[in-house]
Amino acid sequence: IYVDPISLNFGNVQRQTLFMMARNIMNGENADVERARKLLDQGDEFFPQKNFPRDKYSLYSVELYKRVYGVEKATEVWNDIFKYYSQDLAYVAQYANSKNRKYSTGVTAQLREDCRILYTLSDIARKDLNNQELADMAASLMEPYQYVFMQQQ
């Protein structure tokens, strides 16, 4: 199924709304795992990963999925986000050493963004999932592009 960019954004916003409602339920005085799970399930059912990929706005959902479902489901969400950004990084990186400098500013900005997100994923894997292997996997993808952080913006 093709999802146009406007609809894609709509789906991600709606899934985020369900996520925020579930987070508020879990952070309240009377945390209710079942109600939170129902909201997260609706987000996954109506806005599936295959049509509405998890992106940078889903980074902090990993911790909530861990609280509601456990480490296995949280790791699945982490992997979805990792896959999205590792593919994006691979695509953008092919232009990083291009002789055509027309796109160099945009490429550098996107490399920075992808590396920042991978750094955050590494941190989440280490702190929230207690998984050093995943943390190292995310960190290793950034290593060849560390130079983008040294350049002036």
Side-chain angles (χ1 to χ4, degrees):
I1 297 175
Y2 171 75
V3 180
D4 66 273
I6 293 171
S7 297
L8 179 64
N9 186 48
F10 172 76
N12 285 334
V13 167
Q14 295 307 309
R15 183 170 51 205
Q16 280 301 108
T17 301
L18 292 168
F19 161 74
M20 288 186 294
M21 290 168 57
R23 184 184 63 196
N24 288 340
I25 288 170
M26 290 300 292
N27 289 342
E29 258 182 46
N30 301 317
D32 186 341
V33 174
E34 288 306 313
R35 283 180 56 208
R37 184 175 288 149
K38 184 176 180 181
L39 289 166
L40 292 173
D41 286 346
Q42 285 177 339
D44 291 340
E45 177 185 350
F46 296 122
F47 308 104
Q49 165 66 21
K50 67 180 182 178
N51 296 340
F52 301 92
R54 289 185 170 93
D55 58 12
K56 63 185 174 186
Y57 301 108
S58 301
L59 284 169
Y60 300 102
S61 66
V62 174
E63 189 269 335
L64 180 64
Y65 273 90
K66 180 183 172 187
R67 288 174 58 202
V68 173
Y69 293 100
V71 173
E72 188 175 325
K73 179 68 174 176
T75 302
E76 182 183 314
V77 171
W78 187 95
N79 279 314
D80 290 342
I81 301 166
F82 176 78
K83 182 179 177 185
Y84 180 86
Y85 282 98
S86 62
Q87 288 174 345
D88 191 65
L89 181 65
Y91 174 76
V92 174
Q94 68 185 334
Y95 298 102
N97 296 319
S98 172
K99 293 182 187 204
N100 184 352
R101 296 293 176 204
K102 178 179 176 184
Y103 303 111
S104 65
T105 303
V107 167
T108 301
Q110 190 59 47
L111 281 172
R112 263 194 204 106
E113 176 74 358
D114 288 349
C115 287
R116 183 187 65 74
I117 290 164
L118 287 167
Y119 177 83
T120 303
L121 278 169
S122 179
D123 199 44
I124 289 169
R126 193 173 15 74
K127 291 179 180 176
D128 293 340
L129 301 177
N130 198 27
N131 190 324
Q132 190 61 44
E133 184 179 339
L134 292 180
D136 292 344
M137 186 170 65
S140 70
L141 279 183
M142 299 182 304
E143 286 175 15
Y145 309 104
Q146 291 298 317
Y147 70 90
V148 298
F149 294 110
M150 303 300 186
Q151 296 175 349
Q152 294 281 334
Q153 291 193 20

